[in-house]
Amino acid sequence: MGKKRGRKPKTPTQTLDHSVASFEDDVFSVTNVEIINPTTPATVNHHRRRGRPRKRSRYSPNKPEKPPPLMNGGEVLAEGPSSEGAARVVPEMDAVVKVFCVHTEPNFSLPWQRKRQYSSSSSGFVIGGKRVLTNAHSVEHFTQVKVKKRGSDTKYLATVLAIGTECDIAMLTVNDDEFWEGVSPVEFGDLPSLQDAVTVVGYPIGGDTISVTSGVVSRIEILSYVHGSTELLGLQIDAAINSGNSGGPAFNDRGKCVGIAFQSLKHEDVENIGYVIPTPVILHFIQDYEKNGAYTGFPFLGIEWQKMENPDLRIAMGMKPDQKVLKPSDIILSFDGVNIANDGTVPFRHGERIGFSYLISQKYTGDSAAIQVLRDSESLSFDIKLSTHKRLIPPHVRGRPPSFYIIAGFVFTTVSVPYLRSEYGKDYEYEAPVKLLDKLLHSMPRSPNEQLVVVSQVLVADVNIGYEDIVNTQVLAFNGKPVNNLRSLANMVESCDDEFLKFDLEYEQIVVLQTKNAKAATVDILTTHCIPSAMSDDLKR
């Protein structure tokens, strides 16, 4: 009772099934996809993992490396299946910059303090309007950002204009006019086709000079964006992308930017699979910023849906044989006039289909969309207003420090994906308590300000004897009143005049403390653990 409850860690299989479906289900699991971390000094160990040890690197010094790109008169030629696809990208490479960032991450396990600061380097590139694009994870929790041009020895202080966590893109600018001298912004190209040659340019680990890697587009589909915990359009390429390539542009054979390198597939059975944020997502981010003066995000319908492929299910719901499609508590037949198939896809390009969420991602927050639904065998049409997606357990905290409240050594906080990752490591999907994972995957807030409040830990003291093992357990009610969010809990406890403080927790656990003793002990506990306040600043306001 009171111990951590979680799923048994998943044991990776060592046997490959020769069927294509099983192979893809294993290799292309979301847990195998990682963001391309900015390069960090070897002496800094800022991501300590809990639980299972790190995998050994598969790098072999005897393994032959991919030959460098061909050179022709000082110009870089992209490798590809045909010499006709050679890309001359030298002028565009001058727009590629190196991004230096000092990060100070919040400490979700000890929310009243932050972790030790560390430095990283990544890539970026200049666009119109004296702006620079890079990855959001390259400047996450930044305290200082600097950029350096190709061939320069000067680092310029940069200002972060916007961070798009969902799409993993950030926009910077530099106030020093000297930085912009002699730099031409890159031009964006159209979404490439399969087998189109791409050249990724950036500053990966292993050197201070610019690096060029070439390959082709091998897949175009809706991808999981690991940093933002979202699903958006993405490109899969067979070019090797390494740490430090984050934020670097991908050029086509005409020197136009078609994407931003941002994550790669890490699995023992695959090599050289990287992912690129395509131009439709990039332009959505830029236009969102220009339209609203800030990043507002990608809208979502905010629903749970299932496929309508089973014929008995379609008959039971009143669908006719010529009706295809799926969606909400009703059955969504079309979105903005585009029919949605039974497997949840819509026509994309010639011979291609893509998940219908692509249509939604092309909209902006506040836009309207026309949907046709089937309800009780009757077809109805609605105009809906799109808003940003909200879940009970948010996928990110947008750079804000965690909220907390402490009484009698009980540390109350709210659950988010960064919190779960901090507590249970990268494999939190298997290590976290099952009840929290169920809410992570399926629960929507019942009110705009609802939060999932937990006892994250108990700072041991005489007043809380017997409760020491309670950890990461949801708080359901206080003195018989439901807990809607952390602020309401703090207000109820602070204003309580009853003799006892009674907390109803998940797993049928109950915590009872004498009010007078609990409040008196809190001061000593804060002093013992050098905690400046019993609540975070956001709860004081």
Side-chain angles (χ1 to χ4, degrees):
M1 179 175 178
K3 294 184 179 180
K4 291 188 181 181
R5 293 170 169 83
R7 232 180 252 174
K8 185 178 180 180
K10 185 178 181 181
T11 304
T13 178
Q14 300 298 323
T15 304
L16 277 181
D17 188 331
H18 291 287
S19 82
V20 175
S22 336
F23 177 77
E24 288 186 348
D25 287 345
D26 179 35
V27 175
F28 296 100
S29 166
V30 175
T31 58
N32 294 326
V33 182
E34 298 178 349
I35 58 174
I36 309 166
N37 293 319
T39 58
T40 55
T43 56
V44 180
N45 181 16
H46 55 87
H47 284 306
R48 305 182 88 181
R49 293 186 59 191
R50 302 164 185 258
R52 55 178 84 169
R54 294 180 182 270
K55 291 183 179 179
R56 290 192 306 166
S57 172
R58 301 181 67 245
Y59 170 76
S60 171
N62 298 322
K63 185 176 181 180
E65 296 183 354
K66 192 174 182 180
L70 301 175
M71 303 299 294
N72 182 14
E75 294 184 329
V76 178
L77 303 184
E79 300 172 339
S82 169
S83 60
E84 296 178 0
R88 293 171 172 80
V89 294
V90 166
E92 289 72 24
M93 285 200 298
D94 289 337
V96 182
V97 301
K98 192 169 186 178
V99 179
F100 301 85
C101 183
V102 177
H103 310 257
T104 308
E105 295 182 353
N107 189 333
F108 290 90
S109 299
L110 304 173
W112 51 87
Q113 65 185 38
R114 286 183 174 263
K115 296 180 181 179
R116 183 186 182 121
Q117 71 177 23
Y118 66 94
S119 301
S120 72
S121 67
S122 54
S123 308
F125 59 98
V126 176
I127 64 171
K130 292 187 175 182
R131 296 171 295 185
V132 174
L133 291 186
T134 186
N135 280 146
H137 72 261
S138 297
V139 294
E140 185 181 31
H141 305 302
F142 70 92
T143 52
Q144 185 185 74
V145 181
K146 293 181 286 188
V147 294
K148 185 176 73 170
K149 294 190 293 185
R150 181 188 181 197
S152 173
D153 61 350
T154 304
K155 297 177 183 177
Y156 298 86
L157 283 174
T159 301
V160 178
L161 298 177
I163 296 180
T165 306
E166 292 92 345
C167 57
D168 203 358
I169 305 175
M171 182 185 293
L172 320 174
T173 190
V174 176
N175 296 326
D176 193 333
D177 292 335
E178 182 182 87
F179 172 81
W180 305 104
E181 294 177 1
V183 179
S184 299
V186 302
E187 296 181 6
F188 291 103
D190 296 331
L191 184 69
S193 301
L194 294 176
Q195 295 187 323
D196 279 0
V198 290
T199 304
V200 178
V201 183
Y203 293 88
I205 191 170
D208 294 325
T209 57
I210 206 165
S211 172
V212 177
T213 307
S214 300
V216 298
V217 176
S218 57
R219 181 176 291 174
I220 303 174
E221 64 178 353
I222 300 297
L223 297 175
S224 293
Y225 282 43
V226 176
H227 179 67
S229 297
T230 50
E231 291 187 347
L232 296 170
L233 185 67
L235 304 180
Q236 177 180 301
I237 62 175
D238 64 356
I241 301 178
N242 301 302
S243 296
N245 269 122
S246 297
F251 294 108
N252 62 16
D253 56 5
R254 292 175 296 279
K256 300 292 183 68
C257 177
V258 295
I260 303 175
F262 76 119
Q263 63 188 31
S264 60
L265 183 64
K266 303 295 184 185
H267 193 276
E268 59 186 7
D269 298 312
V270 296
E271 292 181 353
N272 293 351
I273 291 184
Y275 296 103
V276 171
I277 305 169
T279 45
V281 178
I282 300 171
L283 295 178
H284 187 287
F285 168 82
I286 296 173
Q287 292 165 8
D288 182 16
Y289 176 80
E290 294 174 346
K291 178 181 177 181
N292 300 294
Y295 172 74
T296 64
F298 287 74
F300 291 84
L301 288 179
I303 61 169
E304 293 285 341
W305 61 271
Q306 72 177 79
K307 297 178 180 180
M308 299 292 293
E309 293 179 305
N310 185 275
D312 293 338
L313 176 61
R314 294 198 296 271
I315 294 173
M317 299 298 291
M319 289 187 69
K320 298 177 182 178
D322 60 343
Q323 288 179 319
K324 302 177 179 181
V325 206
L326 55 59
K327 268 193 139 169
S329 49
D330 298 325
I331 300 172
I332 295 187
L333 304 176
S334 67
F335 183 91
D336 270 352
V338 180
N339 288 339
I340 306 173
N342 290 325
D343 63 351
T345 63
V346 294
F348 183 48
R349 296 188 296 195
H350 179 70
E352 297 179 69
R353 299 188 68 86
I354 198 168
F356 75 92
S357 61
Y358 170 73
L359 300 177
I360 306 170
S361 69
Q362 299 302 294
K363 296 281 191 175
Y364 294 88
T365 302
D367 285 357
S368 295
I371 61 170
Q372 183 183 10
V373 304
L374 189 68
R375 177 181 299 166
D376 297 329
S377 302
E378 181 183 359
S379 180
L380 303 173
S381 297
F382 299 98
D383 285 327
I384 60 172
K385 189 174 183 179
L386 299 173
S387 59
T388 51
H389 182 50
K390 292 183 179 180
R391 285 194 172 272
L392 182 59
I393 298 181
H396 43 76
V397 294
R398 298 184 182 275
R400 295 189 296 267
S403 301
F404 68 90
Y405 174 68
I406 302 174
I407 183 73
F410 285 79
V411 180
F412 298 95
T413 188
T414 59
V415 179
S416 63
V417 170
Y419 175 84
L420 294 176
R421 189 178 289 117
S422 173
E423 286 289 292
Y424 298 100
K426 177 185 170 183
D427 297 314
Y428 66 90
E429 298 98 333
Y430 305 108
E431 306 289 352
V434 173
K435 287 184 178 290
L436 290 184
L437 292 178
D438 178 66
K439 294 179 174 65
L440 169 67
L441 296 173
H442 305 294
S443 294
M444 301 282 186
R446 291 166 292 185
S447 62
N449 59 356
E450 183 180 3
Q451 297 173 317
L452 198 157
V453 181
V454 296
V455 178
S456 66
Q457 63 175 311
V458 179
L459 305 175
V460 177
D462 292 345
V463 71
N464 54 47
I465 288 177
Y467 300 131
E468 304 92 340
D469 293 333
I470 297 178
V471 59
N472 291 333
T473 305
Q474 184 181 358
V475 184
L476 302 177
F478 170 74
N479 281 1
K481 298 179 180 178
V483 174
N484 188 53
N485 54 52
L486 185 58
R487 182 184 295 275
S488 67
L489 174 64
N491 290 339
M492 286 191 292
V493 174
E494 290 294 307
S495 60
C496 181
D497 294 327
D498 296 345
E499 182 180 359
F500 294 102
L501 305 176
K502 180 183 177 183
F503 301 90
D504 294 320
L505 309 182
E506 193 73 87
Y507 308 109
E508 305 298 328
Q509 295 184 86
I510 299 175
V511 170
V512 178
L513 301 167
Q514 195 170 42
T515 303
K516 181 179 179 181
N517 294 342
K519 293 184 176 181
T522 300
V523 177
D524 293 336
I525 293 173
L526 295 179
T527 302
T528 300
H529 292 272
C530 300
I531 302 174
S533 175
M535 64 177 67
S536 53
D537 291 339
D538 62 312
L539 297 182
K540 297 177 182 178
R541 293 192 291 269

